[in-house]
Amino acid sequence: PSYKKEVPLYFRGYRILQAVMHHLLLSKGLAAATEVMFGGHSAGAMAVLIHIDQLRQALPPHTRAVGLVDAGLFIDYREGSVHGLSHCRSLQRGYSFWNATGLHPDCVSGEAEPWRCIFPGYLTKYIQTPVFAIQDKYDNWAVKNVLGLPWTSYDHRISRKSLHTIQTYGNETEKQ
């Protein structure tokens, strides 16, 4: 467990995922499926990326599997933003606090810092299962939470400096 003020906290997401897959395979006919799509949005999309190869391995060899990732391509972006650095540090601390298990094993062994395997920019080169991704170049959540800018709509007036920061982030998103 992790501890918060001496109170044990248990995070069992990966065990739950394994149990659900086991149940679907044995009780709901997933073992007979010929095609399966694992999909998620935002943090759920990150989970698809992190676990897609392990989920594929749980399926029978005859089953074709693909992933659909919608708005889950969060990038390791620390440039010019206290918020971006804070976001990355939060995920780094979360990796330890959550006692993260079940991350892509090739990524964990291939990256110098395993917590980076939460970020698609590091993770995707290890994924073997086909994945289709949908991602806004200028993600509203990222603009607010990673860049720390008060951008809530496309007609909101922002400074040239803020616009440049958003454009730089969008370009980095495209690269990753």
Side-chain angles (χ1 to χ4, degrees):
S2 295
Y3 291 88
K4 178 89 173 180
K5 297 181 181 178
E6 299 183 25
V7 175
L9 300 172
Y10 297 90
F11 298 94
R12 300 290 188 240
Y14 185 62
R15 288 184 185 173
I16 292 168
L17 178 62
Q18 290 175 313
V20 167
M21 277 298 290
H22 182 77
H23 175 72
L24 292 172
L25 285 164
L26 295 181
S27 303
K28 299 297 180 184
L30 187 59
T34 57
E35 296 178 325
V36 174
M37 179 180 285
F38 296 102
H41 174 76
S42 193
M46 284 179 57
V48 170
L49 285 172
I50 290 168
H51 300 295
I52 188 71
D53 283 346
Q54 294 160 327
L55 293 169
R56 170 62 195 99
Q57 290 173 0
L59 296 170
H62 70 272
T63 306
R64 180 174 178 242
V66 297
L68 175 63
V69 173
D70 180 9
L73 300 180
F74 301 100
I75 65 171
D76 184 356
Y77 188 78
R78 308 170 205 204
E79 299 299 317
S81 169
V82 172
H83 289 83
L85 185 57
S86 175
H87 174 68
C88 291
R89 284 183 180 152
S90 294
L91 288 176
Q92 184 177 11
R93 283 192 306 265
Y95 171 81
S96 298
F97 183 73
W98 302 321
N99 190 22
T101 56
L103 293 177
H104 198 290
D106 293 339
C107 185
V108 170
S109 64
E111 294 297 323
E113 299 173 280
W115 70 269
R116 289 184 172 189
C117 296
I118 296 169
F119 287 105
Y122 301 102
L123 173 62
T124 53
K125 64 186 168 196
Y126 300 99
I127 296 173
Q128 300 296 311
T129 306
V131 174
F132 302 96
I134 302 165
Q135 180 71 36
D136 288 338
K137 181 176 178 179
Y138 305 109
D139 183 78
N140 198 20
W141 181 91
V143 168
K144 289 189 282 187
N145 295 285
V146 175
L147 302 179
L149 299 175
W151 191 42
T152 56
S153 68
Y154 292 103
D155 60 0
H156 184 80
R157 294 184 182 260
I158 58 173
S159 69
R160 286 186 185 267
K161 181 179 178 186
S162 294
L163 182 58
H164 176 73
T165 300
I166 292 167
Q167 289 173 329
T168 301
Y169 180 84
N171 293 339
E172 287 300 313
T173 300
E174 275 187 331
K175 289 179 189 176
Q176 294 191 30

